[in-house]
Amino acid sequence: MSVRRIVVVGGGYAGFYAAWKLEKKLRRGEAEVVVIDPRPYMTYQPFLPEVLSGSVEARHAAISLRRNLHHTKLIAGSVTRVEHARRTVTIQPVKGPEYELEYDIIAVTAGAVTRTFDLPGVADRAIGMKHVEEAVAIRDRLLTAFDEASVLPPGPERQRLLTVTFVGGGFAGVEGFGELLSLANALLKKYPELSRDDLAFHLVEATQRILPEVTDGPRKWVRSLLERRGAHLHLDTTLVSAEDGHVILSDGTEYDTELLVWTAGNAATRLVRGHTDLPVTDRGLIQTRADLRVGTETEVIPDAWAAGDDAAVPDLASPVPGAFTVPNAQNAVRQGKRLAKNLLASLRGREPKKYVHHTLGAVATLGLGTGIFQFRWIVVRGFLAWLMHRGYHVLAVPTWDRKMRVLSVWLAAAIHGRDIVSLASVQRPRDAFVNEAALPKLSLADVHSGGTPAAAEPADRSS
């Protein structure tokens, strides 16, 4: 009898933890696990705001799939179609033509993508904040902007370089905004040519509140903290246009910005939205039961499972009837672990258990030494909340390797401060080589004589 093949679509939180737990618990010959993802790592997204500010090294927020999934087959590619009726997925590898792969069991954990709108300039200028490379690019652009602005006189060009816009006031947006604003204020000490008046940080949120996961009191405190640092908060406001870097907001505000960061919510992946025969909800998510099997309370799709941001999982801990679990790290990690346990139970003839998770509270970092934490009526602000944020995430990040590396960077930063070197040139690694190659060549005789090659000599020496 052939070994059953379990295909996990996506190597993010839910997919990584599901595969990690499965390979530890599967008996020899019981099943093989295949994870398909175009990236060779899982991004630990709660660290991205600190990657922005340089408090966490970029590589330390990336968990290598090959280093940690020792008995799982990894395919570097994207699933472009799921045909569960045929038990087949179509794979577009990073290199090479598409091909089909058969499976016995599928777990769709493809996650979500950044939700964007058809607004002028957004596709051309905005950067998301879901992946390590995006966080690195945001940080490098700010550092480069400081270097460029420091040699300019006060005026519109200097102001544009030091103007930053975040769209989206959820946790990702507010944490990223707070950390980058904290870094910018700290950088002013290293740039005597610049002042706080040169900085302009704008946070745009379509609703009337930021951080919807916390209550009004803590939310008001966060807003006050950001405004004291010089932030401009535009609530109940939307972005109308960002063409050529000129921002127009629905409240009538207009200005030029160098850096535009888009964190305005999640959307289902293209695969889930229209390239699968698995049932999908009106919101474009995989219709999922509380036990993480695909289907409804009355009908189960055999051998199909889903978890994470692309799954509409009933929230049994919510007092609101018909609520679904929030697409966040807490749920994705725990759903991935529950999926592995339930899939194993199903393989061995036992009934899977329902996923129930009571929130551990909301915690956010707002810059070096400052944070906010809320669990029900308990609220912690400032330095203690910041320590709680760091303590929780260093425990939560998978593998001891990453825990130790992150702790070492935090310790070094506590003693020596954050690193403020921009590596924006890494995004164009051939520039130095090409520019050097374009220079006139010196002959051996020129080198010995200290002369200038003829091709580079001025045409007229009479002056």
Side-chain angles (χ1 to χ4, degrees), residues 282-310:
D282 294 339
R283 296 166 55 210
L285 304 175
I286 297 288
Q287 181 71 59
T288 311
R289 294 160 47 95
D291 59 13
L292 304 183
R293 288 184 288 181
V294 176
T296 63
E297 285 299 318
T298 57
E299 183 181 2
V300 177
I301 305 298
D303 302 321
W305 305 75
D309 292 357
D310 65 353

Coordinates of all heavy atoms in Angstrom, one line a residue, residues 282-310:
D282 N -18.8 34.1 1.2 CA -19.0 35.3 0.5 C -17.8 36.3 0.7 O -17.5 37.2 -0.1 CB -20.2 36.0 1.1 CG -21.5 35.3 0.7 OD1 -21.4 34.5 -0.2 OD2 -22.5 35.5 1.4
R283 N -17.0 36.1 1.8 CA -15.8 36.9 2.1 C -14.6 36.4 1.3 O -13.5 37.0 1.4 CB -15.5 37.0 3.6 CG -16.6 37.6 4.4 CD -16.4 37.3 5.9 NE -15.1 37.7 6.4 CZ -14.5 37.1 7.3 NH1 -15.0 36.0 7.9 NH2 -13.3 37.4 7.7
G284 N -14.8 35.3 0.6 CA -13.6 34.8 -0.2 C -12.7 33.9 0.6 O -11.6 33.7 0.3
L285 N -13.2 33.3 1.7 CA -12.4 32.5 2.6 C -12.9 31.0 2.5 O -14.1 30.8 2.1 CB -12.4 32.9 4.0 CG -12.0 34.4 4.3 CD1 -12.3 34.7 5.8 CD2 -10.6 34.6 3.9
I286 N -12.0 30.1 2.7 CA -12.4 28.7 2.7 C -13.4 28.4 3.8 O -13.2 28.7 5.0 CB -11.2 27.7 2.9 CG1 -10.1 27.9 1.8 CG2 -11.6 26.3 3.0 CD1 -10.5 27.3 0.5
Q287 N -14.6 27.8 3.4 CA -15.6 27.4 4.3 C -15.1 26.3 5.3 O -14.8 25.2 4.8 CB -16.9 27.0 3.6 CG -18.0 26.6 4.5 CD -18.6 27.8 5.2 OE1 -19.1 28.7 4.5 NE2 -18.6 27.8 6.5
T288 N -14.9 26.6 6.5 CA -14.2 25.7 7.4 C -15.0 25.5 8.7 O -15.7 26.4 9.2 CB -12.8 26.3 7.9 OG1 -12.1 26.7 6.7 CG2 -12.0 25.2 8.6
R289 N -15.1 24.2 9.2 CA -15.8 23.9 10.4 C -14.9 24.2 11.6 O -13.7 24.5 11.5 CB -16.1 22.4 10.4 CG -17.0 21.9 9.3 CD -16.9 20.4 9.0 NE -16.9 19.6 10.3 CZ -18.0 19.1 10.8 NH1 -19.2 19.2 10.2 NH2 -17.9 18.4 11.9
A290 N -15.5 24.1 12.8 CA -14.7 24.4 14.0 C -13.6 23.4 14.3 O -12.7 23.7 15.0 CB -15.7 24.4 15.2
D291 N -13.7 22.2 13.7 CA -12.7 21.2 13.8 C -11.6 21.3 12.7 O -10.8 20.4 12.6 CB -13.3 19.8 13.9 CG -14.1 19.4 12.7 OD1 -14.0 20.1 11.6 OD2 -14.8 18.4 12.7
L292 N -11.7 22.3 11.9 CA -10.8 22.7 10.8 C -10.9 21.8 9.6 O -10.1 21.9 8.7 CB -9.3 22.7 11.4 CG -9.1 23.6 12.6 CD1 -7.6 23.6 13.0 CD2 -9.5 25.0 12.3
R293 N -11.9 21.0 9.6 CA -12.2 20.3 8.3 C -13.0 21.3 7.4 O -13.8 22.1 7.9 CB -13.0 19.0 8.5 CG -12.2 17.9 9.2 CD -13.0 16.6 9.3 NE -14.1 16.7 10.4 CZ -14.9 15.8 10.7 NH1 -14.8 14.6 10.1 NH2 -15.8 16.0 11.7
V294 N -12.8 21.2 6.1 CA -13.5 22.0 5.2 C -14.9 21.5 5.1 O -15.2 20.3 4.9 CB -12.8 22.0 3.8 CG1 -13.6 22.8 2.8 CG2 -11.4 22.6 3.9
G295 N -15.9 22.5 5.1 CA -17.3 22.1 5.0 C -18.1 22.9 5.9 O -17.7 24.0 6.5
T296 N -19.3 22.4 6.2 CA -20.3 23.1 7.1 C -20.6 22.1 8.2 O -20.1 21.0 8.3 CB -21.6 23.4 6.3 OG1 -22.2 22.2 5.9 CG2 -21.3 24.3 5.1
E297 N -21.4 22.6 9.1 CA -21.8 21.8 10.3 C -22.5 20.5 9.9 O -22.4 19.5 10.5 CB -22.7 22.5 11.2 CG -22.0 23.6 12.1 CD -21.0 23.0 13.0 OE1 -21.2 21.9 13.6 OE2 -19.9 23.5 13.1
T298 N -23.2 20.5 8.7 CA -23.9 19.4 8.2 C -23.2 18.6 7.1 O -23.6 17.5 6.8 CB -25.3 19.8 7.7 OG1 -25.1 20.8 6.7 CG2 -26.1 20.4 8.8
E299 N -22.2 19.2 6.6 CA -21.5 18.5 5.4 C -20.0 18.7 5.5 O -19.5 19.8 5.7 CB -22.0 19.0 4.1 CG -21.4 18.3 2.9 CD -21.9 18.9 1.6 OE1 -22.6 19.9 1.6 OE2 -21.5 18.4 0.5
V300 N -19.3 17.6 5.4 CA -17.8 17.6 5.5 C -17.3 17.2 4.1 O -17.7 16.3 3.5 CB -17.3 16.6 6.6 CG1 -15.8 16.6 6.6 CG2 -17.8 17.0 7.9
I301 N -16.3 18.0 3.7 CA -15.5 17.6 2.4 C -14.4 16.7 2.9 O -13.5 17.1 3.6 CB -14.9 18.9 1.8 CG1 -16.0 19.9 1.5 CG2 -14.2 18.5 0.5 CD1 -17.1 19.5 0.6
P302 N -14.5 15.4 2.4 CA -13.5 14.5 2.9 C -12.1 14.9 2.5 O -11.8 15.4 1.4 CB -13.9 13.2 2.1 CG -15.3 13.4 1.7 CD -15.4 14.9 1.5
D303 N -11.1 14.6 3.4 CA -9.7 14.8 3.2 C -9.3 16.3 2.9 O -8.3 16.5 2.2 CB -9.2 13.9 2.1 CG -9.5 12.4 2.4 OD1 -9.3 12.0 3.5 OD2 -9.8 11.7 1.5
A304 N -10.1 17.2 3.3 CA -9.7 18.6 3.1 C -9.8 19.4 4.4 O -10.8 19.3 5.1 CB -10.7 19.2 2.0
W305 N -8.7 20.1 4.7 CA -8.6 20.9 5.9 C -8.2 22.3 5.6 O -7.6 22.6 4.5 CB -7.6 20.2 6.8 CG -7.8 18.8 7.1 CD1 -7.6 17.7 6.3 CD2 -8.3 18.3 8.4 NE1 -8.0 16.6 7.0 CE2 -8.4 16.9 8.2 CE3 -8.7 18.8 9.6 CZ2 -8.9 16.0 9.2 CZ3 -9.1 18.0 10.6 CH2 -9.2 16.6 10.4
A306 N -8.4 23.2 6.5 CA -7.9 24.6 6.3 C -7.7 25.3 7.6 O -8.3 24.9 8.7 CB -9.0 25.4 5.5
A307 N -6.8 26.3 7.7 CA -6.5 27.0 8.9 C -5.8 28.3 8.6 O -5.3 28.4 7.4 CB -5.6 26.1 9.8
G308 N -5.8 29.2 9.5 CA -5.1 30.4 9.3 C -5.9 31.5 8.7 O -7.2 31.5 8.7
D309 N -5.3 32.5 8.1 CA -6.0 33.7 7.6 C -6.9 33.5 6.4 O -7.8 34.3 6.1 CB -5.0 34.8 7.2 CG -4.2 35.3 8.4 OD1 -4.5 34.9 9.6 OD2 -3.3 36.2 8.2
D310 N -6.7 32.4 5.7 CA -7.6 32.1 4.5 C -8.7 31.2 4.9 O -9.5 30.8 4.0 CB -6.7 31.5 3.4 CG -6.2 30.1 3.7 OD1 -6.3 29.7 4.9 OD2 -5.6 29.4 2.9

